[in-house]
């Protein structure tokens, strides 16, 4: 079971999305057509096969407009569903449900799309020992939710932001003068709980990086042959992360080079929304 995100973290995102949709006058269509005291029972249904993530977003969107709404999940986040799979039932004030519908579906479909794509990558490398991880290439304001969706798909989270791990990239190295000097400075500055990762773009930098003891070495856009050679040379002295160029056609071969981690920005920046609808019951 995936540890759910607390409502306290999700609610501000949902409120901002509702405010954007409701605008200055609210749902004028429902106000014009639907009696104020009418109720509506409906079901969230997946139109395609996928992995569910974000049910709490739908629940909170409806509850924000109708605190008395009855929302019952039929599955848990992280569950695989097929076309026509029922995700949740809701009974609520009709105006509130109709006004919250799109916000709930947008977030639920977005997160489920990320979980679905992540699961495809995780399945592709099954048995290899390599972990599939995300990146910081997330939608501004939705990072915590999108990284949660990655976990729902079986992936692992990379750092959440600039403050929870040191990751030395090519421009940091350029500013410092060399890979070794950048890692040396980072190790000197890092507390005992802070991990240090350094990105290199060729085998020529590997030994210099390892000399200073980074926790992780990112192998950026390495060929398969160079990935395998890096694994051989490193001999377990650091966690090795392959980055760049991974897709569903190439990721298995990358995993089979022996790297420990494969980071895939596409999990969050290119995932298609899972088509989910809300049907009156």
């Amino acid at each position: 079971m995936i540890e759910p995100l607390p409502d306290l973290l999700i609610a501000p995102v949902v409120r901002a999305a509702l405010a954007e949709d409701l605008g200055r006058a609210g749902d004028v269509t429902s106000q014009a057509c639907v009696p104020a005291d009418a109720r509506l029972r409906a079901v969230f249904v997946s139109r395609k096969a996928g992995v569910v993530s974000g049910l709490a977003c739908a629940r909170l969107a409806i509850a924000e407009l109708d605190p008395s709404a009855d929302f019952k999940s039929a599955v848990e986040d992280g569950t695989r569903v097929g076309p026509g799979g029922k995700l949740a039932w809701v009974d609520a004030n009709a105006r509130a449900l109709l006004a919250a519908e799109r916000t709930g579906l947008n977030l639920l479909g977005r997160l489920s799309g990320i979980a679905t794509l992540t699961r495809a990558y995780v399945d592709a490398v099954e048995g290899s020992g390599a972990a599939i991880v995300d990146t910081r290439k997330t939608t501004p304001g939705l990072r915590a939710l999108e990284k949660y969706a990655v976990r729902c798909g079986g992936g692992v989270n990379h750092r959440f932001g600039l403050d929870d791990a040191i990751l030395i990239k090519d421009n940091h190295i350029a500013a410092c003068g060399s890979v070794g000097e950048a890692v040396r400075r980072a190790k000197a500055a890092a507390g005992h709980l802070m991990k240090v990762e350094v990105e290199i773009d060729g085998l020529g930098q590997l030994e210099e990086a390892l000399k200073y003891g980074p926790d992780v070495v990112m192998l950026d856009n390495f060929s398969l042959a160079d990935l395998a050679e890096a694994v051989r040379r490193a001999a377990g002295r650091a966690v090795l992360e392959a980055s760049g160029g991974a897709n569903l056609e190439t990721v298995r071969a990358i995993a089979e080079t022996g790297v420990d981690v494969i980071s895939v920005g596409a999990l969050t920046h290119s995932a298609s929304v899972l088509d989910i609808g809300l049907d009156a019951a």
Side-chain angles (χ1 to χ4, degrees):
M1 178 180 173
I2 309 299
E3 183 67 26
L5 290 178
D7 286 358
L8 189 66
L9 184 62
I10 304 170
V13 175
V14 169
R15 291 191 191 105
L18 283 170
E20 178 181 59
D21 209 20
L22 290 169
R24 295 167 298 174
D27 180 5
V28 294
T29 307
S30 294
Q31 292 169 19
C33 301
V34 180
D37 60 353
R39 295 195 67 81
L40 183 63
R41 179 172 167 79
V43 58
F44 287 89
V45 179
S46 181
R47 308 296 192 210
K48 296 182 178 180
V51 177
V52 180
S53 181
L55 286 166
C57 296
R59 171 175 57 80
L60 289 172
I62 298 165
E64 187 69 23
L65 302 184
D66 178 8
S68 68
D70 183 22
F71 186 100
K72 288 186 171 61
S73 297
V75 297
E76 295 179 344
D77 281 351
T79 302
R80 295 181 193 249
V81 296
K86 294 178 173 57
L87 310 186
W89 297 87
V90 61
D91 188 310
N93 174 272
R95 285 187 179 180
L97 180 54
L98 292 167
E101 175 182 357
R102 179 43 52 196
T103 292
L105 286 173
N106 282 350
L107 290 168
L108 178 58
R110 169 68 179 156
L111 300 188
S112 295
I114 291 171
T116 300
L117 182 59
T118 302
R119 174 50 63 184
Y121 275 89
V122 171
D123 287 349
V125 302
E126 184 177 7
S128 69
I132 297 294
V133 306
D134 52 26
T135 70
R136 285 167 46 240
K137 296 175 181 177
T138 54
T139 307
L142 295 184
R143 181 169 295 169
L145 275 64
E146 292 183 347
K147 282 183 171 281
Y148 167 73
V150 167
R151 298 198 299 277
C152 288
V156 178
N157 293 145
H158 209 290
R159 61 176 179 161
F160 266 74
L162 295 172
D163 62 339
D164 60 341
I166 294 174
L167 203 174
I168 304 162
K169 299 181 73 68
D170 54 353
N171 286 334
H172 298 106
I173 293 167
C176 287
S178 70
V179 169
E181 179 61 15
V183 178
R184 185 194 67 77
R185 293 180 188 179
K187 293 289 285 188
H192 70 289
L193 295 179
M194 182 70 72
K195 296 282 189 179
V196 174
E197 178 172 10
V198 60
E199 174 189 87
I200 63 173
D201 56 18
L203 287 169
Q205 295 177 311
L206 180 59
E207 198 57 46
E208 182 186 359
L210 291 172
K211 176 182 176 182
Y212 292 91
D215 300 288
V216 186
V217 177
M218 179 188 292
L219 312 171
D220 187 44
N221 285 301
F222 274 42
S223 67
L224 293 177
D226 283 353
L227 287 173
E229 179 62 16
V231 170
R232 187 190 70 79
R233 293 188 190 183
R237 286 179 285 168
V239 171
L240 296 183
E241 174 185 338
S243 176
N247 57 51
L248 286 172
E249 287 68 47
T250 63
V251 72
R252 181 73 197 188
I254 293 171
E256 289 177 347
T257 65
V259 295
D260 304 291
V261 174
I262 304 170
S263 53
V264 184
L267 300 183
T268 51
H269 72 57
S270 295
S272 297
V273 169
L274 183 64
D275 188 5
I276 298 170
L278 181 65
D279 300 331

